[in-house]
């Protein structure tokens, strides 16, 4: 029993668990929105697009978060601009922007081999995070969470029905810019915990899992955030025992829970749909949902 | 181009004159360079149901989005209740019922959540619904007969039910000006008449409704004004003057299905007028005689006060 409490005895482990949990929470919050628009890959694109910003910041001796954030914003703005001005589809745009930035990042890193450890960016290193980096992550996450908690309904309306959001006096363009700013900021934070390659999991899996469990956005947010927080905390904890690779453990946990939901979700799970299909054919009737009411 | 000024219905309630809509020389070009609307103008007053008629791609949805300020016109202006669009929206004057293609039916929201969205403009910073907001949602759901479905996810409804949910959202919002984008598409006749009934009630309460539709046959039945469109406003004005065979042929070009039956083939009497049936894809519109100015369009049989006067004409 005592052995299970060992991680809590180390300060670096405690720090890793709490910081991971915080990052997991914000990313999960954002994932609920991204998934609804088919924008999930945007998280991946941003995570990679941030690399030149990080190496540039190291080069100039700036805080890494500032450089990463600027690169993230440039990438979002780039994607948004191409979307507006061309007939290209989202996937092509994301691919173009993301590879351009990532290539520039790798080039910068290879030209200044000492400036930054690529492996840290790509794989993350939460167990070895410095106090100043940890504070950067905490500040970014707390501010983002606070904004999301205040604005979640406005954002929901914009994601659901932009034109209507306009009619009730919201400004959809502003809210979208806000959203992508938050996404860029949180990708920067997630880079520290799971690394660029796995950020995509943090901003997709929790939302996707919650989507299978509820039909109501408010609950979807709550499930998603709880899911992201707990898996990140537990993942960081477990990584003590498997020695390193925090990102890998967190994402594996999330994937396992997603599979459980995929199979057993009460309404949208695989078994539930099968069962319903069998009931309907046995009745020979239509599912209730399709019956027309009297006006 | 005809720009009609609404002769507002007599007996219109005072203090509700605010519902008006002026579209002046509006041109909208999409970012990809496609000009979907050029120099569109018309003018509507309170207590009006106005039909927006045109083929697919004629710019009806674009016009709605320009009125809502969602698309910024390259030229021209929109004034709602005498205010610039942005100010009118802030005052919650405009409600919008989107066309079905514009809605993400897989979005995880329940019927009552959607209707509650109509109240957002009335709520505070955190959008926390008050008791009044909950009451208005329930009222709106009752008026469209959807209370039994309030806890359904929106994708699990029939076409007609979906339309009614979005209508309820517009009701809950209490906008004086309601924009309805193809509310009758994919809807059965029963739901259509329920929606029309509701629109008539709203008209009597002084609301202004702009409704795009392909059901040409029901236009003379419930719309007092018509705007005919093909990437611009071809004609606008009172239904009797504007909704004519000539104007419709102008609007639809060769797209309309067109039947003509000569008088002698129809009946054995002195009445030599033929019948022209024009149909887009839904309810046809029927004209007696050769030229549009000979008669107004015939109203559908369902309209009780009109079922017998076809023979009495002329
Ligand atoms: N987002 C858009 N970008 C570019 N062109 C568009 C866009 N939306 C609509 N259009 C074009 O504008 C024209 C008018 O479309 P629309 O207003 O939707 O017509 P309607 O509602 O009358 O069927 C069409 O040619 C359509 O292809
Ligand atoms: Mg349309």
């Amino acid at each position: 029993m005592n052995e299970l409490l060992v991680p809590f005895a180390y300060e670096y482990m405690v720090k890793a668990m709490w910081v991971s949990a915080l990052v997991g929470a914000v990313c999960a919050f954002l994932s609920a929105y991204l998934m609804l628009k088919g924008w999930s890959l945007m998280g991946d694109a941003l995570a990679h697009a941030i690399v030149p910003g990080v190496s540039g910041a190291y080069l100039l001796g700036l805080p890494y978060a500032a450089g990463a954030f600027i690169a993230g914003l440039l990438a979002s703005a780039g994607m948004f601009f191409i979307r507006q001005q061309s007939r290209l589809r989202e996937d092509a745009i994301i691919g173009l922007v993301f590879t351009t930035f990532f290539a520039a990042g790798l080039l910068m890193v290879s030209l200044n081999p000492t400036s930054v450890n690529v492996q840290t960016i790509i794989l993350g290193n939460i167990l070895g995070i410095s106090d100043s980096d940890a504070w950067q992550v905490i500040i970014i996450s707390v501010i983002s969470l606070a904004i999301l908690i205040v604005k979640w309904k406005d954002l929901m309306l914009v994601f659901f029905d932009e034109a209507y959001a306009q009619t009730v006096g919201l400004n959809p363009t502003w809210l979208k810019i806000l959203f992508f700013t938050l996404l860029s900021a949180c990708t920067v934070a997630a880079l520290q915990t799971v690394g660029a390659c796995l950020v995509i999991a943090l901003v997709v899996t929790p939302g996707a899992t919650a989507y299978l469990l509820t039909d109501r956005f408010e609950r979807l947010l709550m499930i998603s955030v709880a899911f992201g927080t707990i898996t990140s905390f537990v993942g960081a904890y477990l990584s003590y025992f498997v020695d390193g690779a925090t990102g890998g453990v967190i994402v594996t946990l999330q994937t396992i829970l997603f599979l459980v939901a995929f199979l057993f979700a009460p309404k949208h799970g695989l078994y539930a749909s099968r069962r319903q299909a069998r009931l309907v054919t046995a009745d020979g009737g239509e599912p209730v949902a399709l019956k027309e009411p009297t006006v | 181009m005809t720009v009609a000024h609404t002769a507002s219905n007599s007996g219109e309630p005072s203090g509700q004159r605010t519902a008006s809509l002026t579209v002046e020389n509006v041109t909208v070009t999409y970012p990809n360079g496609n000009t979907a609307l050029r120099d569109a103008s018309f003018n509507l007053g309170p207590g009006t149901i106005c039909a927006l008629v045109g083929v697919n791609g004629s710019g009806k949805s674009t016009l709605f989005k320009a009125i809502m300020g969602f698309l910024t016109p390259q030229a021209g202006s929109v004034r709602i209740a005498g205010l610039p669009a942005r100010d009118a929206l802030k005052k919650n004057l405009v409600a919008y019922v989107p066309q079905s293609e514009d809605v993400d039916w897989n979005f995880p929201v329940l019927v009552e959540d959607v209707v509650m969205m109509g109240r957002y403009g009335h709520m505070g910073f955190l959008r926390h619904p008050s008791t009044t907001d909950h009451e208005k949602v329930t009222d709106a759901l009752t008026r469209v007969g959807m209370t039994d479905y309030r806890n359904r996810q929106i994708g699990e409804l029939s076409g007609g039910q979906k339309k009614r949910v979005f209508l309820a959202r517009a009701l809950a919002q209490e906008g004086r000006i309601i924009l309805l984008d193809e509310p009758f598409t994919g809807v059965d006749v029963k739901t259509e008449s329920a929606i029309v009934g509701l629109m008539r009630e709203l008209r009597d309460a002084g609301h202004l409704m702009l409704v795009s539709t392909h059901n040409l046959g029901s236009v003379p039945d419930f719309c007092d004004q018509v705007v005919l469109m093909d990437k611009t406003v071809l004609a606008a004005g009172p239904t009797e003057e504007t909704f004519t065979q000539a104007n419709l042929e102008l609007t639809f070009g060769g797209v309309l299905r067109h039947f003509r039956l000569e008088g002698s083939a129809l009946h054995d009497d002195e009445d030599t007028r033929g019948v022209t049936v024009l149909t887009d894809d839904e309810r046809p519109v029927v004209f007696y005689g050769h030229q549009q100015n000979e008669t107004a369009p015939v109203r559908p049989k369902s309209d009780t006060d009109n079922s017998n006067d076809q023979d009495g004409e002329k």
Side-chain angles (χ1 to χ4, degrees):
Chain A
M1 192 68 220
N2 258 349
E3 212 169 294
L4 292 180
L5 293 176
V6 172
F8 292 97
Y10 294 100
E11 204 193 317
Y12 79 95
M13 276 310 302
V14 175
K15 190 167 71 181
M17 287 186 276
W18 285 113
V19 172
S20 299
L22 195 57
V23 171
V26 206
C27 288
F29 211 126
L30 295 167
S31 75
Y33 291 92
L34 280 176
M35 173 201 50
L36 293 172
K37 279 280 190 187
W39 285 348
S40 297
L41 287 177
M42 206 82 95
D44 198 25
L46 284 179
H48 286 83
I50 277 169
V51 177
V54 177
S55 49
Y58 273 108
L59 220 79
L60 301 171
L62 298 171
Y64 88 91
F69 185 56
I70 291 169
L73 281 186
L74 281 178
S76 323
M79 289 190 260
F80 193 68
F81 180 77
I82 301 177
R83 180 85 192 85
Q84 289 282 304
Q85 301 299 326
S86 80
R87 41 181 298 183
L88 287 174
R89 283 177 190 270
E90 221 98 69
D91 55 347
I93 297 170
I94 291 176
L96 275 171
V97 172
F98 141 36
T99 48
T100 308
F101 274 70
F102 193 52
L106 289 182
L107 193 66
M108 284 167 79
V109 172
S110 62
L111 292 178
N112 295 276
T114 50
S115 66
V116 56
N117 183 352
V118 189
Q119 198 167 350
T120 310
I121 300 181
I122 305 219
L123 298 176
N125 182 19
I126 187 70
L127 300 184
I129 193 172
S130 72
D131 273 349
S132 67
D133 281 357
W135 276 113
Q136 286 183 31
V137 172
I138 291 169
I139 291 168
I140 292 172
S141 309
V142 169
I143 293 177
S144 305
L145 262 184
I147 295 175
L148 284 171
I149 287 167
V150 173
K151 287 286 173 196
W152 75 266
K153 277 193 178 175
D154 291 7
L155 286 170
M156 172 184 81
L157 193 49
V158 169
F159 273 68
F160 178 59
D161 191 344
E162 258 181 64
Y164 193 78
Q166 183 98 30
T167 68
V168 296
L170 298 178
N171 185 331
T173 312
W174 261 114
L175 285 162
K176 275 197 285 187
I177 290 174
L178 175 72
F179 182 83
F180 283 106
T181 309
L182 292 178
L183 183 65
S184 306
C186 294
T187 318
V188 175
L191 220 55
Q192 290 285 324
T193 54
V194 296
C197 284
L198 291 178
V199 167
I200 175 76
L202 290 197
V203 294
V204 173
T205 321
T209 310
Y211 187 67
L212 296 175
L213 295 172
T214 179
D215 281 336
R216 203 160 197 184
F217 193 70
E218 188 169 1
R219 282 202 206 122
L220 191 150
L221 276 180
M222 290 193 283
I223 295 172
S224 179
V225 171
F227 177 91
T229 314
I230 294 168
T231 49
S232 300
F233 188 91
V234 175
Y237 165 83
L238 288 178
S239 72
Y240 174 83
F241 298 100
V242 297
D243 208 13
T246 320
V249 182
I250 293 175
V251 173
T252 308
L253 269 184
Q254 295 195 341
T255 310
I256 291 170
L257 287 186
F258 169 78
L259 287 175
V260 171
F262 177 68
L263 293 174
F264 302 110
K267 188 167 158 197
H268 302 296
L270 202 60
Y271 283 112
S273 340
R274 291 262 166 89
R275 188 155 18 91
Q276 213 155 356
R278 238 178 294 127
L279 280 179
V280 170
T281 36
D283 280 358
E286 284 179 85
V288 196
L290 296 175
K291 275 188 193 144
E292 184 69 21
T294 44
V295 176
Chain B
M1 185 176 307
T2 333
V3 177
H5 294 258
T6 317
S8 49
N9 292 349
S10 53
E12 158 210 323
S14 63
Q16 304 200 323
R17 289 191 160 273
T18 45
S20 70
L21 174 65
T22 309
V23 172
E24 222 167 68
N25 305 108
V26 166
T27 298
V28 177
T29 305
Y30 281 104
N32 64 5
N34 175 13
T35 299
L37 204 59
R38 196 184 294 277
D39 225 13
S41 301
F42 62 92
N43 193 343
L44 299 168
T48 308
I49 301 177
C50 174
L52 195 57
V53 174
V55 292
N56 288 322
S58 58
K60 301 183 295 295
S61 301
T62 305
L63 176 63
F64 281 128
K65 287 173 184 161
I67 292 173
M68 289 184 291
F70 184 63
L71 294 172
T72 316
Q74 268 65 34
S77 69
V78 173
R79 289 184 80 80
I80 300 166
L83 302 167
R86 183 176 292 269
D87 299 341
L89 296 172
K90 288 240 165 70
K91 289 179 191 282
N92 256 299
L93 289 172
V94 184
Y96 167 58
V97 179
Q99 62 183 357
S100 288
E101 300 91 275
D102 287 353
V103 177
D104 175 4
W105 297 107
N106 289 321
F107 202 96
V109 279
L110 307 184
V111 167
E112 61 176 8
D113 299 333
V114 171
V115 181
M116 187 58 91
M117 287 174 189
R119 302 296 304 166
Y120 276 25
H122 299 272
M123 295 177 194
F125 186 63
L126 286 176
R127 315 275 171 208
H128 190 73
S130 65
T131 327
T132 322
D133 292 324
H134 285 291
E135 281 167 13
K136 303 253 171 178
V137 167
T138 306
D139 286 353
L141 283 169
T142 312
R143 280 185 83 177
V144 300
M146 285 294 289
T147 21
D148 292 347
Y149 297 85
R150 63 186 303 159
N151 291 319
R152 277 279 173 81
Q153 194 269 332
I154 51 167
E156 298 166 357
L157 301 170
S158 72
Q161 293 169 339
K162 286 173 174 167
K163 295 288 182 189
R164 282 186 279 157
V165 173
F166 282 84
L167 197 62
R169 180 173 76 170
L171 293 178
Q173 189 184 348
E174 299 180 314
R176 311 278 305 139
I177 293 143
I178 308 179
L179 310 173
L180 303 103
D181 202 351
E182 304 201 8
F184 306 126
T185 304
V187 160
D188 59 40
V189 181
K190 208 159 108 188
T191 306
E192 180 180 333
S193 41
I195 294 176
V196 167
L198 204 55
M199 287 170 69
R200 286 200 171 110
E201 281 173 33
L202 291 167
R203 168 176 61 192
D204 296 342
H207 287 65
L208 161 55
M209 278 152 283
L210 184 59
V211 48
S212 71
T213 177
H214 291 283
N215 288 11
L216 302 183
S218 32
V219 168
D221 183 26
F222 73 98
C223 300
D224 12 52
Q225 297 271 324
V226 176
V227 171
L228 295 169
M229 298 192 54
D230 186 13
K231 299 197 183 271
T232 182
V233 172
L234 297 172
T239 312
E240 309 83 61
E241 293 163 26
T242 316
F243 199 66
T244 58
Q245 192 177 335
N247 276 342
L248 282 174
E249 281 169 0
L250 185 68
T251 308
F252 289 94
V255 180
L256 280 185
R257 270 188 292 274
H258 191 140
F259 306 99
R260 175 141 185 99
L261 304 168
E262 288 307 328
S264 52
L266 292 171
H267 32 61
D268 280 330
D269 56 22
E270 300 85 79
D271 189 351
T272 57
R273 289 176 302 159
V275 175
T276 304
V277 180
L278 293 182
T279 171
D280 179 359
D281 53 2
E282 303 202 8
R283 275 196 201 172
V285 61
V286 182
F287 292 95
Y288 264 83
H290 270 286
Q291 282 307 311
Q292 76 283 354
N293 20 17
E294 204 165 328
T295 57
V298 173
R299 298 180 180 231
K301 273 244 165 22
S302 61
D303 205 11
T304 43
D305 55 44
N306 244 346
S307 49
N308 284 325
D309 55 16
Q310 286 165 20
D311 301 347
E313 264 177 351
K314 223 173 178 181

